[in-house]
Amino acid sequence: MGKLFGTFGVRGIANEKITPEFALKMGMAFGTMLKREGRKRPLVVVGRDPRVSGEMLKEALISGLLSIGVDVINVGIAPTPAIQFACRYFRTDGGAVITASHNPPEYNGIKLLEPNGLGLKKEREAVVEELFFNENFDRAKWHDIGEIREEDIIRPYLDAIKSRVDMEAIKRRRPFVVVDTSNGAGSLTLPYLLRELGCKVVSVNAQPDGHFPARNPEPNEENLRSFMKIVKALGADFGVAQDGDADRAVFIDENGNFIQGDKTFALVVKAMLQENGGGLVVTTVATSHIIDELAKQYNGKVIKTKVGDLIVSRALLEHNGLVGGEENGGVIFPDFVLGRDGAMTTAKIVEIFAKSGKKFSELIDELPRFYQVKTKRHISGDRHAAVEKVAELAEQRGFRLDTTDGTKILFDDGWVLVRASGTEPIIRIFAEAKDEEKAEEYLSIGLELLKESLKV
Ligand code: MG
């Protein structure tokens, strides 16, 4: 039997892999599972990002659900975290999001959600897969076909975020924020949220457009070059940029510098540990040890998982964590939404900024200092075997190891991670240390072991 789901949902080129027939069958498979689990009349919320293929796929998926006898709430275009929020808000039996996150415009995908908004559990994914491939669907009789209703989730989602931050403090400082929502789903939420919080806002690329005419929706430094200039030229306090489905938020300081995702994550961790007198933080093995250092300072504990936001979210739920995040600028507030949430992250950062009275760059400078170096190597052979071989060689040399995901060698003042990409023929090597020279040294240890592992 084939495999449908990747780390979180299924993704591919629209109208090639992700066709209306595909979405229809996905709806039928998901609906059949819910019915067989004993729910008489399951309720599922469905929404999408603004991709060109989104409406076509959403309607097909809804058709599939209705034909099984599932009722549907259609929330239209909304950020992925808002749709996750809608699962709890409408007390549904699950959800479905049509999105390809930060991928180029020709892509689309489907994410299925649990009643609490978390990505579907592995065991239930396997059930959907089986039903999908065997086309083993329980069609409803004509009089049991599901019903559909339209609902707005944007307003309840924004109100819920506003209730979670100190709006008085924000209004007092009135930060000047420039927003780039990449013509994605965040165009419908982030500029409005910031204005309602009491910020002065200038927004760019803030009309939803599935062609993504302004920039590639992935919010990395390369794609944000002109935005970084805009933030500086306007004299803003800082800038914030999102990806296509608005689960991520990436920040630019007042000087136009790109801030690495784990640093903004660290700002949130620091504030939340202080506010709560400690707590459990969940992150991945690829995230900066700034987080570990902050946990030591503020009575926190850290769990490190494999890379992937769904894995971090699951661990947060399982261990009752306070906050989670990844190095790419996704922060998870598990008591709000069990997934990365760009708008909630931004609101929290705005609050931290407003209360501090400092410049954005000063807040970043106050964090424990670490230097990171990253590189990658193209590998034609078995990249996973190579990474395992690196672990073997490192062990022979007496290094301390963490093999949660890839091979991570731990030093007293830093680390190097050698990790195979899940999707591309690439091995990534990340190193971090207290000074630049050491970081380079650890990187070269990783590279040297990788080279040796490829020889045999
Ligand atoms: Mg995304």
Side-chain angles (χ1 to χ4, degrees), residues 144-257:
D144 278 332
I145 290 169
E147 287 173 14
I148 180 168
R149 69 176 209 258
E150 322 259 318
E151 290 275 3
D152 166 54
I153 193 57
I154 304 275
R155 182 39 47 200
Y157 171 67
L158 294 184
D159 286 344
I161 292 174
K162 282 160 62 184
S163 74
R164 296 173 57 91
V165 292
D166 185 346
M167 285 183 57
E168 288 312 309
I170 297 168
K171 288 207 163 82
R172 270 197 299 277
R173 184 156 182 195
R174 198 165 185 248
F176 176 16
V177 187
V178 190
V179 185
D180 176 348
T181 46
S182 77
N183 302 101
S187 308
L188 300 175
T189 44
L190 199 61
Y192 303 96
L193 173 68
L194 288 167
R195 213 159 285 144
E196 290 175 25
L197 284 174
C199 299
K200 178 183 170 188
V201 183
V202 170
S203 47
V204 297
N205 310 324
Q207 52 293 325
D209 184 339
H211 295 94
F212 298 129
R215 66 163 168 91
N216 180 309
E218 169 136 44
N220 59 24
E221 190 166 357
E222 201 184 317
N223 294 332
L224 294 178
R225 294 255 177 245
S226 42
F227 181 61
M228 287 152 66
K229 284 187 197 145
I230 292 171
V231 173
K232 188 170 183 211
L234 290 179
D237 288 316
F238 57 92
V240 53
Q242 294 204 294
D243 70 330
D245 69 331
D247 58 343
R248 279 161 64 192
V250 161
F251 293 81
I252 310 297
D253 75 10
E254 75 280 4
N255 302 313
N257 295 314

Side-chain angles (χ1 to χ4, degrees), residues 11 80 99-102 111 243-248 340:
R11 235 178 256 181
T80 295
T99 178
S101 188
H102 58 272
K111 288 179 172 182
D243 70 330
D245 69 331
D247 58 343
R248 279 161 64 192
R340 294 188 298 222

